[in-house]
Structure formats: structure tokens, C-alpha cells
């Protein structure tokens, strides 16, 4: 069986960094999920263009909740 890798990134208003971040894992990830917690900049558009799956999650000051929001979307 071949190992597969899903990368989950929690982001909010990271338009200046998200493209470089996604590029850094693109060659090793089978799936990239961006959990967006309410960006008002181009974060979602950039991540979508890069091929990431977007999960919208209302930020509740809880990283674990944001991480857990990605889990049902993992396909690997």
C-alpha cells in the first residue's frame, strides 16, 4: 500500500503567505485542505487557484476546533 498525505492548513487573511505555503507542500501532498476562518482578503481565491480544498469555519479562538473541522474532508 502506498502512503498518502493530506496537508491541512488553518488560515485567516494570509494572502501574502498562502501561495508560497501551498507551493512548499504541493509536491508531497496528495490533498491540501485550507480551513479558512473568515478571511476578508484574497486567501480563499489564492488557495482555490492553487488547487486546495477550502473548508469554511467560524473562528472560535480554538485551534483544535479549526483542525477538527478539516477531519471529515480528509480523503487520504
Amino acid at each position: 500500500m502506498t502512503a498518502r498525505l493530506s496537508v491541512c492548513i488553518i488560515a485567516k487573511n494570509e494572502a501574502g503567505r498562502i501561495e508560497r505555503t501551498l507551493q512548499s507542500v504541493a509536491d508531497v501532498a496528495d490533498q491540501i485542505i485550507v480551513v479558512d476562518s473568515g478571511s476578508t482578503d484574497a486567501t480563499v481565491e489564492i488557495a482555490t487557484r492553487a488547487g486546495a480544498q477550502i473548508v469554511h469555519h467560524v473562528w472560535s479562538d480554538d485551534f483544535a476546533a479549526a483542525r477538527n473541522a478539516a477531519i471529515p474532508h480528509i480523503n487520504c
Side-chain angles (χ1 to χ4, degrees):
M1 175 160 75
T2 303
R4 295 179 48 93
L5 177 66
S6 290
V7 173
C8 301
I9 300 167
I10 301 167
K12 181 176 182 182
N13 293 332
E14 295 293 344
R17 296 184 185 102
I18 195 73
E19 185 171 22
R20 187 172 66 243
T21 301
L22 296 171
Q23 288 173 348
S24 75
V25 298
D27 290 339
V28 296
D30 297 297
Q31 177 185 26
I32 302 172
I33 299 170
V34 172
V35 178
D36 184 76
S37 56
S39 292
T40 57
D41 64 3
T43 297
V44 171
E45 292 81 7
I46 294 167
T48 300
R49 211 171 37 243
Q53 179 181 348
I54 308 301
V55 174
H56 296 280
H57 175 76
V58 176
W59 182 250
S60 60
D61 204 26
D62 184 351
F63 280 98
R67 178 204 58 218
N68 291 343
I71 291 172
H73 303 278
I74 296 172
N75 295 324
C76 292

